[in-house]
Amino acid sequence: LAGTGGPDGQGPGGPSWAVHLESLKGDGEEETLEQQADALAQAAGLVNAGRIGELQGHYLFVQPAGHRPALEVEAIRQQVEAVLAGHEAVRWHSEQRLLRRAKR
Amino acid sequence: SVHFNDPKYPQQWHLVSPVLQCAVSGGGLLTISLFSRLHPSPEGSYDLNSNDPDPMPHPDVENGNHHGTRCAGEIAAVPNNSFCAVGVAYGSRIAGIRVLDGPLTDSMEAVAFNKHYQINDIYSCSWGPDDDGKTVDGPHQLGKAALQHGVIAGRQGFGSIFVVASGNGGQHNDNCNYDGYANSIYTVTIGAVDEEGHMPFYAEECASMLAVTFSGGDKMLRSIVTTDWDLQKGTGCTEGHTGTSAAAPLAAGMIALMLQVRPCLTWRDVQHIIVFTATRYEDRRAEWVTNEAGFSHSHQHGFGLLNAWRLVNAAKIWTSVPYLASYVSPMLKENKAIPQSPRSLEVLWNVSRMDLEMSGLKTLEHVAVTVSITHPRRGSLELKLFCPSGMMSLIGAPRSMDSDPNGFNDWTFSTVRCWGERARGTYRLVVRDVGDESFQVGILRQWQLTLYGSVWSPVDIRDRQRLLESAMSGKYLHDDFALPCPPGLKIPEEDGYTITPNTLKTLVLVGCFTVFWTVYYMLEVYLSQRNVASNQVCRSGPCHWPHRSRKAKEEGTELESVPLCSSKDPDEVETESRGLPTTSDLLVPDLLEQGDWSLSQNKSTLDCPHQHLDDLLHGKEEQIC
C-alpha cells in the first residue's frame, strides 16, 4: 500500500504489489530487470514504483494515482493477480498488507 | 572516577563501567535509532512514513512519538554539554529511520532494514508484533530477505547488526519465540532485567533470547535516564524510559563499543562474543541450566547480563569465527495426534556424522524447528526441543490468551540454549496439549530441523573461553595492541544520501545572498575606480565634458564620463541642456549591461560623499545632493 513516492514511502495509497522478478535474458542486469519491471507493471495496469530497498529483482507496483470505487478496486485486484501469476518472469508476488507493529 | 557535567549523569545507574575510563566511547561508528540533539548522521537517516530524509518525530495524540529520541539518547547522548544524560556509546554517530508512525508494509520494512546499510553499522529495533499473548507474527517475505541481505552485504560485508527487543508481553504469558524478529538467527535478541537482577513484570521468557541489559522494573525501582523530545509535554530529558525498548539500545551501544575496538567483527562474531561474555547472576527464579559447552542459559535472562567491560576486552582479541555451516533435515511427515497432558508426543531425528560431512558443521549456534500443527486452540500447545546433550528448550510455551483455531502453519521456533554443543546426535521434539479439555485432538502434521553452527570443535570452544578470560584484566585494551583488521568490501547502495529540502532551501538562499553581494561589491569597486580617474581631470579648473558625437556614443567606443548626480530635477535638466545626459539615464540597469558608463563626482557634489551606490543603482532621480 505505498504511495507514488517510490517503494521507500508512506504506506497506503491504494493496493500495491511486491514482485520478485527473474531476468528473462538470464543476465540479471539491473537495467534489464528495471525495464522488465516497467513493462510488467504496465501490462498489469500498474506503475513501477521502483526497486524495494537493496533487494535485487524485487519491485513495488502501485496503482496510478486517483480515487476508485471499491468494486473497481476488486476488479483491478483480480486482473493484477491474473497477470502476475501468469507471467514467466515472476518468481513470487504478494499484495502488500498493513502490518501491526508496536513500540516496546 | 569518570565525571561528566550532564545533570542526570549521576542518576544513570546502569552506566557504571570501567570501559569509560579507557576512552572507549564508540567513536567513528554509527548506530541507528531516532534523530535527536546528538551528533546526527543525516546520511544514515530516513523517514519512511513521510518519504523524506528527515526522521524527526511528529507530535501525536498519544504522545508516544518520543520513543525514538529516548532510545537514541541511551546510545549516543553527548557528554559534557550540561544537558540531560550520557549515552553508552557517546562517541558514536546516530541516525534515525522513522517507520512506526504510520501504516507499515512488508516492503517498507524491507527498505528500513537495509536503509543506508553501508553507512549504518547497527540497527536498534525497539519494536515488534503486538505483545498481547495471542499473536504469532514476524518478518514477512521481504523483511526476511532484507534481514538476510543485511547480514550478508551490510557494513561492508561484515554484516549489519540487528538488535531487537524481546518483547513486553510478560503479563500475557507471551514468549518471544512467537515473534519472528526475536527468534531470527540474524538478530541479537535482548531482554530486560531490573536493577535488583530480576525479570521485570513485563518481560518475556524465551529460548532464543541471547542476553539481557538493564531497564525499569516495578514502580519502586529506577528506570532508564535518557534524552527525550521537547515537543508537547516533553522536556528534552526523562528518567522514565523502560520496557524492553530501553534494554535493546543499551545493548546496541555496547556493541558499538565492541566495533570501535574491532570494526571487522562479523555479525556472528558479535553474537558469539555476547554468548561467551554475558554474566550469570543469582536469581532463584531464573532456572539457569549450564549446557555441554559450559554456557549457562535461562529462559528469563538468556546467557545473562551484558557487560561492556567484558564485551570490549573480548572484542579486542577476537579472531573471526569460521564460516556459517548449516544442516537442514528432510521435511518429516508425522500426522500424529497430540495427547492431553501429562502424556506427550515425542518425535526424534538423528543427525549423523555423514549428514554433517558436507557442511563440516561440528558445534551448534542457533537450532531451529519449523512445525505445522492443527489444533482448535493454539495456546494450549507446548513444544519442547531436546538437543543431543539433553539440553531442553521450551520453544513453544503455552499461552492462555491464544485461542486461535488455526494452529501453526510452517512456523519456525528457535533456541540458542545448545550454543557450542556438538551438532551430531539425536534431537527430540516433545509436544503435548496442556489445555483443559479438547473435543478435537491436535495433529502434528510435519516438522523440520535446521542446525546452524561452525566447524569449531568443542575443544576450540573451550580454548576460546580460556583465551577470553585471560583478556578480562584489560591488558589488551591499550592502543598499541591491535590484531589485523581487513578493510571490508566496497558495496554500492541503491540510493546514496539525498540533501533534505530544508538544507536545499538554505543553500539556495545563501547562494542568492552571495551572488547579490558579489555584484554589489563589484559595482562599488568599479564605480569608485572610475570616480578616482575623473578627479585627476577636474583638478586643473572647471570640468570639461568632451562633447560626444552621437555616432561615437552609439558605437560606445568612447569612455563616457558624466557627473554622478545632478543638483536639479533631471527632467528639468533634460529640457534645458539636451546634450548633457542625466544620472538616471546612465545608471538604469539596461545601460549597466552595456558597461560604458562610469561613476563620476560632479564639482558641486563634493559634499555628497555619503551617497550610497544602491540609491544610484535604483535610479533614484530625487536623490539631490
Side-chain angles (χ1 to χ4, degrees), chain A residues 15-19 21 37 40-41 46-49 59-63 84:
Chain A
S16 68
W17 281 263
V19 175
L21 290 184
L40 178 58
L46 300 171
V47 173
N48 175 20
Y59 294 88
L60 190 70
F61 294 169
V62 299
Q63 270 197 298
L84 297 182

Side-chain angles (χ1 to χ4, degrees), chain B residues 100-172:
Chain B
L100 294 179
D101 190 21
L104 182 61
T105 62
D106 186 24
S107 65
M108 286 171 74
E109 249 184 41
V111 172
F113 281 136
N114 292 156
K115 197 62 183 177
H116 300 311
Y117 69 152
Q118 300 307 333
I119 294 168
N120 297 324
D121 297 290
I122 302 165
Y123 292 74
S124 179
C125 315
S126 289
W127 56 269
D130 286 342
D131 297 325
D132 52 12
K134 53 187 178 188
T135 298
V136 175
D137 196 6
H140 293 218
Q141 179 102 3
L142 297 171
K144 281 180 188 169
L147 285 171
Q148 187 175 57
H149 184 63
V151 299
I152 290 171
R155 196 169 54 99
Q156 292 82 49
F158 293 115
S160 301
I161 309 293
F162 297 108
V163 183
V164 301
S166 60
N168 296 344
Q171 288 179 297
H172 308 304

Side-chain angles (χ1 to χ4, degrees), chain B residues 468-482:
Chain B
L468 295 191
E469 287 312 319
S470 72
M472 289 311 155
S473 63
K475 63 184 179 189
Y476 297 110
L477 263 195
H478 48 74
D479 284 339
D480 50 19
F481 174 86

